[in-house]
Amino acid sequence: MNSLRRTLGTRDAVVIGLGSMIGAGIFSALGPAAHAAGPWLLLALAVATVVAYCNATSTARLAAVHPSSGGTYLYATRQLSPFWGYLAGWSFVVGKTASCAAMAMTVGAYAWPGREVPVAVATVVALVALNCLGVQKSVALTRVIVTVVVLVLTVLVFSAWVLPADQAPVAAAQAGALGVIQGAGLVFFAFAGYARIATLGEEVRDPARTIPRAVPIALAIAFVVYALVAASALHVLGAGGLSASTAPLLDVARSVAPGWLPAVVQVGAVLAATGSLLALVLGVSRTSLAMARDGHLPGALTTVSESRGVPWVAEVAVGVLVVALVLTVDLRGAIGFSSFGVLLYYAIANASAFTLNPEQGRPAAWIPVTGLIGCLVLAVGLPAASVIGGAIVVALGALVFVARRRG
């Protein structure tokens, strides 16, 4: 049995998207983005949202035309060529596997400082086991996590504007256009989850109707939450204080309600990172499944459980790789690298959407064009180390493809 069960409705798909977006990124990405964009953080957030909207629209149209697991790997293979499909899949799997490890270590750092690695490994093992039991159980847990995190962020935003802060906001130097672009590229890391809906296309009921509805709904909710949180952090800490913070939302909580709010934010951060890791493992395993079906990865990854209807071999393989990374590498500095891979992935998605014909529901031409250009600009605007590292990994992937074809 190699087909997945269509059990997810619009609400479930929106929850999965929110579980991916309203996750650890909101607790970690604002500081680096503010360091780059300074007081123009909200403008950087708006730029990232415009690019994300174009990506979401292109992705939704493609997912409706090609309602199978694999996301842009599948779309680009069918709309462009096997090479571009492979490159999209390579970028996604490599970048998101690193993100999985980073999220696991974030859980460990917040839950038990000093015991980050054991907690991270235990979290990965537990979530992979949950996924292997069936996607509906994963959706149920994601729904709980999203609800709790949104409540925590709501309390934080309310407190930031109502309670007096114990320090004055710190101003930051003005940032130019490059700073805004770099800030947008970094904060885009937190928006990347909406495509998780498309990678689950083979498990969605009525995908032609459900996916185009779920993607923009999830994106709009995430933007409103991010904008409120970013504005609150700027209000309390200022652009300078925010850019200097490694845990900006925790610093906001300590500034306005040191007695109880920091503990609440820590719980929210652990749940958010767990939700992100859960959805990331789902997405990476489904893309690995699709690439294995086409012979780009080992064939064993195509195995789907007869009783549960999930690709359990791909789930376990992703879990083993993530645990190996957690045990050997510190990936907290990999946000820029992950963003580079994700932006390239979406650039290929926009190029694929541009090739759709009117009968397939092609979006207005400006949407994929803006998304493609926006992704490339944000990618090259990232910190130099991220751009160089990402380009090397992508080039290696391309060489592997060429070598396999010639062999």
Side-chain angles (χ1 to χ4, degrees):
M1 178 180 177
N2 287 325
S3 296
L4 305 181
R5 296 175 181 172
R6 297 190 183 278
T7 58
L8 306 180
T10 300
R11 182 178 299 179
D12 293 329
V14 169
V15 168
I16 289 176
L18 289 176
S20 302
M21 287 184 284
I22 303 179
I26 190 62
F27 292 91
S28 59
L30 291 181
H35 182 74
W40 298 105
L41 174 61
L42 292 180
L43 177 59
L45 179 64
V47 171
T49 304
V50 170
V51 175
Y53 170 77
C54 294
N55 297 346
T57 302
S58 293
T59 300
R61 299 293 177 86
L62 288 163
V65 174
H66 306 289
S68 297
S69 289
T72 299
Y73 163 72
L74 176 71
Y75 314 148
T77 297
R78 294 182 178 178
Q79 295 295 142
L80 298 175
S81 72
F83 170 77
W84 290 108
Y86 168 85
L87 203 62
W90 177 274
S91 299
F92 182 88
V93 171
V94 171
K96 289 304 184 179
T97 299
S99 294
C100 286
M103 292 303 97
M105 297 186 74
T106 299
V107 174
Y110 276 89
W112 196 349
R115 294 290 187 273
E116 293 91 344
V117 172
V119 173
V121 171
T123 301
V124 173
V125 172
L127 292 186
V128 168
L130 175 68
N131 285 344
C132 288
L133 290 176
V135 69
Q136 278 294 336
K137 293 180 176 60
S138 298
V139 171
L141 179 58
T142 302
R143 184 182 294 112
V144 172
I145 292 173
V146 169
T147 301
V148 173
V149 172
V150 169
L151 288 175
V152 169
L153 294 177
T154 300
V155 172
L156 181 66
V157 168
F158 179 81
S159 301
W161 291 97
V162 172
L163 301 178
D166 63 3
Q167 64 183 50
V170 180
Q174 293 290 327
L178 181 59
V180 172
I181 290 173
Q182 188 172 112
L186 291 168
V187 79
F188 184 85
F189 170 80
F191 275 111
Y194 52 79
R196 209 74 68 248
I197 299 171
T199 62
L200 296 173
E202 196 170 329
E203 294 156 275
V204 172
R205 296 191 302 267
D206 190 11
R209 177 175 179 269
T210 298
I211 293 175
R213 292 180 61 189
V215 169
I217 291 173
L219 179 62
I221 295 173
F223 169 70
V224 170
V225 172
Y226 277 30
L228 290 173
V229 173
S232 301
L234 287 172
H235 172 69
V236 173
L237 301 179
L242 183 57
S243 66
S245 175
T246 56
L249 300 192
L250 187 57
D251 286 345
V252 171
R254 288 169 174 163
S255 181
V256 300
W260 56 274
L261 191 54
V264 173
V265 170
Q266 284 182 295
V267 171
V270 170
L271 287 173
T274 302
S276 291
L277 177 59
L278 176 64
L280 281 166
V281 171
L282 278 170
V284 173
S285 63
R286 269 56 178 183
T287 300
S288 300
L289 167 68
M291 294 183 71
R293 283 172 172 172
D294 291 341
H296 296 304
L297 292 176
L301 298 179
T302 64
T303 303
V304 176
S305 169
E306 290 279 355
S307 60
R308 302 292 182 180
V310 297
W312 69 272
V313 174
E315 295 273 8
V316 172
V318 171
V320 169
L321 183 56
V322 172
V323 168
L325 290 172
V326 167
L327 292 174
T328 57
V329 183
D330 180 3
L331 294 175
R332 291 199 180 199
I335 288 180
F337 172 78
S338 179
S339 293
F340 184 89
V342 170
L343 286 164
L344 179 59
Y345 174 86
Y346 287 129
I348 297 173
N350 282 291
S352 301
F354 188 77
T355 66
L356 292 172
N357 58 51
E359 290 73 23
Q360 294 174 310
R362 182 180 62 197
W366 70 268
I367 292 177
V369 170
T370 302
L372 173 60
I373 295 174
C375 285
L376 295 178
V377 169
L378 294 187
V380 299
L382 288 167
S386 299
V387 176
I388 295 171
I392 290 173
V393 171
V394 170
L396 287 175
L399 289 175
V400 169
F401 181 88
V402 172
R404 287 183 67 254
R405 280 300 178 95
R406 289 183 176 177

